[in-house]
Amino acid sequence: MATTSARLLRLLSLLQSGDAWTGPALAEALRVSDRTVRRDVDALRNLGYAVDVSRGPGGRYRLGPGPRLPPLVFDEEQAIAVAVALQAAPRSIIGLDAAAARALETLLQVLPPRLGQQVAGLTITSVVNLWDLAPPPVDAVVLRDVSTAIHRTETLRYTIGSAAASPASTVEPHHLVSWAGRWCLLGWNPTGRRWQALRLDLLTLRTPNGPRFDRRMIPGGDVAAYFTTLFDRGDNLDHWPCQGSAVVDQPAELIARFAPGGTRVQPLGPTSSRVTMGAWSWNGIASLLGSFDAVVRDAEPAALREACRELAARYR
């Protein structure tokens, strides 16, 4: 029979799976008696774990939230996933560097030597290109406040940028979306009566929040699928040295699905759209426009039209 400490860790691992366990099922998994299970559950509670139990026939045990954060137990795959996440998160979220480094150090200290070497070897280096598509990282406070508003179904008041004098806009926040290196908020615009995406790194939140709202269903029910169909994802093209637009004879829904990050799409009809995008060169924009496999016309500005002619001659 396993020692008491090893058995408690095994019990904790079972409860952390998120499933509700009957006493007999736990007893069978641990190879102990029902009485030992009840005693071990009490021991976990004394250590700070909130183990809930439904009384009566068929009573079940479930791990719930407690008043404080107790120690956690990870299996090998979870430990590797946590190590990767701790290194990746500070690249996109401001304010987590020190906390993430401390958490990773704590994790490495308690891992078995073999697994510790694997996790320590997962060193991630973030390389930023001169014209990187990735936006500035998001402030952890903004991420927390938006997430809290989503949970509480509270309307957010915001401005784009740091212009404190600008009147605040409102949005009913529904989902946080990570797309193409960007943190976005998918919400309902109560003024425009439409769904919209907002870049979190461009938001300045106003306090207090607005009134509560009734949660809406995302069209089609699939957040990821719907997000890719949006014509405007709140992107900012100002970091590109070249910015241009053209009419492309393709439906806006198709272009929005496959366009690179930073593209704006304006529907002009069922089979044509005006596409605005940026790149490090005018030839770069011309090449991207050509990737939509359709007629490209009415390009602006003149430098983009010249780039289209130059590429056409080069390809000939």
Side-chain angles (χ1 to χ4, degrees), residues 217-233:
M217 287 294 295
I218 295 292
D222 188 324
V223 176
Y226 181 71
F227 187 83
T228 61
T229 67
L230 293 178
F231 306 143
D232 184 358
R233 302 186 182 105

mmCIF file of all heavy atoms in Angstrom, residues 217-233:
data_model
loop_
_atom_site.group_PDB
_atom_site.id
_atom_site.type_symbol
_atom_site.label_atom_id
_atom_site.label_comp_id
_atom_site.label_asym_id
_atom_site.label_seq_id
_atom_site.Cartn_x
_atom_site.Cartn_y
_atom_site.Cartn_z
ATOM 1 N N MET A 217 -25.613 35.228 -28.057
ATOM 2 C CA MET A 217 -25.004 34.087 -28.732
ATOM 3 C C MET A 217 -24.206 34.575 -29.930
ATOM 4 O O MET A 217 -24.683 35.413 -30.705
ATOM 5 C CB MET A 217 -26.073 33.097 -29.190
ATOM 6 C CG MET A 217 -26.708 32.305 -28.053
ATOM 7 S SD MET A 217 -25.525 31.198 -27.238
ATOM 8 C CE MET A 217 -25.148 30.066 -28.579
ATOM 9 N N ILE A 218 -22.985 34.064 -30.067
ATOM 10 C CA ILE A 218 -22.178 34.373 -31.245
ATOM 11 C C ILE A 218 -22.849 33.751 -32.475
ATOM 12 O O ILE A 218 -23.286 32.598 -32.429
ATOM 13 C CB ILE A 218 -20.757 33.798 -31.087
ATOM 14 C CG1 ILE A 218 -20.042 34.501 -29.931
ATOM 15 C CG2 ILE A 218 -19.958 33.936 -32.376
ATOM 16 C CD1 ILE A 218 -19.737 35.943 -30.180
ATOM 17 N N PRO A 219 -22.975 34.481 -33.577
ATOM 18 C CA PRO A 219 -23.564 33.899 -34.787
ATOM 19 C C PRO A 219 -22.866 32.600 -35.183
ATOM 20 O O PRO A 219 -21.643 32.549 -35.313
ATOM 21 C CB PRO A 219 -23.334 34.987 -35.849
ATOM 22 C CG PRO A 219 -23.306 36.262 -35.065
ATOM 23 C CD PRO A 219 -22.631 35.909 -33.763
ATOM 24 N N GLY A 220 -23.639 31.544 -35.317
ATOM 25 C CA GLY A 220 -23.082 30.246 -35.660
ATOM 26 C C GLY A 220 -22.587 29.462 -34.469
ATOM 27 O O GLY A 220 -22.343 28.264 -34.570
ATOM 28 N N GLY A 221 -22.398 30.136 -33.314
ATOM 29 C CA GLY A 221 -21.995 29.452 -32.095
ATOM 30 C C GLY A 221 -20.515 29.147 -31.971
ATOM 31 O O GLY A 221 -20.063 28.697 -30.920
ATOM 32 N N ASP A 222 -19.718 29.386 -33.022
ATOM 33 C CA ASP A 222 -18.284 29.079 -33.006
ATOM 34 C C ASP A 222 -17.506 30.395 -33.015
ATOM 35 O O ASP A 222 -17.472 31.104 -34.023
ATOM 36 C CB ASP A 222 -17.919 28.239 -34.233
ATOM 37 C CG ASP A 222 -16.490 27.711 -34.177
ATOM 38 O OD1 ASP A 222 -15.605 28.433 -33.680
ATOM 39 O OD2 ASP A 222 -16.252 26.583 -34.654
ATOM 40 N N VAL A 223 -16.875 30.731 -31.878
ATOM 41 C CA VAL A 223 -16.180 32.016 -31.743
ATOM 42 C C VAL A 223 -15.048 32.127 -32.760
ATOM 43 O O VAL A 223 -14.905 33.144 -33.447
ATOM 44 C CB VAL A 223 -15.626 32.185 -30.313
ATOM 45 C CG1 VAL A 223 -14.815 33.476 -30.205
ATOM 46 C CG2 VAL A 223 -16.773 32.206 -29.308
ATOM 47 N N ALA A 224 -14.219 31.082 -32.865
ATOM 48 C CA ALA A 224 -13.059 31.137 -33.767
ATOM 49 C C ALA A 224 -13.505 31.304 -35.216
ATOM 50 O O ALA A 224 -12.950 32.118 -35.964
ATOM 51 C CB ALA A 224 -12.214 29.877 -33.610
ATOM 52 N N ALA A 225 -14.508 30.526 -35.619
ATOM 53 C CA ALA A 225 -14.969 30.599 -37.005
ATOM 54 C C ALA A 225 -15.568 31.967 -37.312
ATOM 55 O O ALA A 225 -15.332 32.539 -38.384
ATOM 56 C CB ALA A 225 -15.988 29.496 -37.284
ATOM 57 N N TYR A 226 -16.336 32.506 -36.363
ATOM 58 C CA TYR A 226 -16.965 33.806 -36.613
ATOM 59 C C TYR A 226 -15.923 34.921 -36.647
ATOM 60 O O TYR A 226 -16.005 35.838 -37.465
ATOM 61 C CB TYR A 226 -18.019 34.112 -35.550
ATOM 62 C CG TYR A 226 -18.716 35.427 -35.771
ATOM 63 C CD1 TYR A 226 -19.607 35.589 -36.829
ATOM 64 C CD2 TYR A 226 -18.466 36.529 -34.953
ATOM 65 C CE1 TYR A 226 -20.240 36.805 -37.058
ATOM 66 C CE2 TYR A 226 -19.090 37.744 -35.173
ATOM 67 C CZ TYR A 226 -19.973 37.871 -36.226
ATOM 68 O OH TYR A 226 -20.585 39.077 -36.461
ATOM 69 N N PHE A 227 -14.924 34.845 -35.769
ATOM 70 C CA PHE A 227 -13.911 35.898 -35.703
ATOM 71 C C PHE A 227 -13.171 36.041 -37.022
ATOM 72 O O PHE A 227 -12.841 37.153 -37.442
ATOM 73 C CB PHE A 227 -12.925 35.597 -34.572
ATOM 74 C CG PHE A 227 -11.944 36.703 -34.313
ATOM 75 C CD1 PHE A 227 -12.289 37.781 -33.521
ATOM 76 C CD2 PHE A 227 -10.674 36.673 -34.860
ATOM 77 C CE1 PHE A 227 -11.396 38.813 -33.282
ATOM 78 C CE2 PHE A 227 -9.771 37.692 -34.630
ATOM 79 C CZ PHE A 227 -10.137 38.766 -33.838
ATOM 80 N N THR A 228 -12.921 34.925 -37.697
ATOM 81 C CA THR A 228 -12.174 34.990 -38.961
ATOM 82 C C THR A 228 -12.981 35.629 -40.085
ATOM 83 O O THR A 228 -12.414 35.968 -41.130
ATOM 84 C CB THR A 228 -11.730 33.584 -39.409
ATOM 85 O OG1 THR A 228 -12.885 32.757 -39.615
ATOM 86 C CG2 THR A 228 -10.822 32.951 -38.374
ATOM 87 N N THR A 229 -14.298 35.783 -39.904
ATOM 88 C CA THR A 229 -15.126 36.389 -40.949
ATOM 89 C C THR A 229 -15.265 37.895 -40.777
ATOM 90 O O THR A 229 -15.835 38.560 -41.647
ATOM 91 C CB THR A 229 -16.528 35.762 -40.973
ATOM 92 O OG1 THR A 229 -17.239 36.100 -39.767
ATOM 93 C CG2 THR A 229 -16.450 34.251 -41.091
ATOM 94 N N LEU A 230 -14.792 38.446 -39.648
ATOM 95 C CA LEU A 230 -14.944 39.881 -39.416
ATOM 96 C C LEU A 230 -14.101 40.675 -40.413
ATOM 97 O O LEU A 230 -12.943 40.342 -40.669
ATOM 98 C CB LEU A 230 -14.535 40.237 -37.988
ATOM 99 C CG LEU A 230 -15.428 39.681 -36.867
ATOM 100 C CD1 LEU A 230 -14.869 40.078 -35.514
ATOM 101 C CD2 LEU A 230 -16.856 40.185 -37.007
ATOM 102 N N PHE A 231 -14.675 41.755 -40.933
ATOM 103 C CA PHE A 231 -13.955 42.582 -41.909
ATOM 104 C C PHE A 231 -12.932 43.490 -41.236
ATOM 105 O O PHE A 231 -11.915 43.848 -41.825
ATOM 106 C CB PHE A 231 -14.948 43.435 -42.701
ATOM 107 C CG PHE A 231 -16.041 42.632 -43.349
ATOM 108 C CD1 PHE A 231 -17.326 43.123 -43.428
ATOM 109 C CD2 PHE A 231 -15.777 41.384 -43.876
ATOM 110 C CE1 PHE A 231 -18.337 42.372 -44.029
ATOM 111 C CE2 PHE A 231 -16.774 40.631 -44.481
ATOM 112 C CZ PHE A 231 -18.059 41.138 -44.551
ATOM 113 N N ASP A 232 -13.199 43.884 -40.001
ATOM 114 C CA ASP A 232 -12.307 44.782 -39.267
ATOM 115 C C ASP A 232 -12.036 44.169 -37.902
ATOM 116 O O ASP A 232 -12.951 43.998 -37.101
ATOM 117 C CB ASP A 232 -12.957 46.165 -39.125
ATOM 118 C CG ASP A 232 -12.027 47.171 -38.454
ATOM 119 O OD1 ASP A 232 -10.906 46.785 -38.070
ATOM 120 O OD2 ASP A 232 -12.430 48.340 -38.303
ATOM 121 N N ARG A 233 -10.767 43.832 -37.641
ATOM 122 C CA ARG A 233 -10.410 43.232 -36.356
ATOM 123 C C ARG A 233 -9.690 44.229 -35.459
ATOM 124 O O ARG A 233 -8.921 43.844 -34.580
ATOM 125 C CB ARG A 233 -9.547 41.989 -36.590
ATOM 126 C CG ARG A 233 -10.248 40.937 -37.457
ATOM 127 C CD ARG A 233 -9.432 39.673 -37.545
ATOM 128 N NE ARG A 233 -10.088 38.700 -38.407
ATOM 129 C CZ ARG A 233 -9.694 38.403 -39.639
ATOM 130 N NH1 ARG A 233 -8.640 39.015 -40.149
ATOM 131 N NH2 ARG A 233 -10.333 37.508 -40.352
#
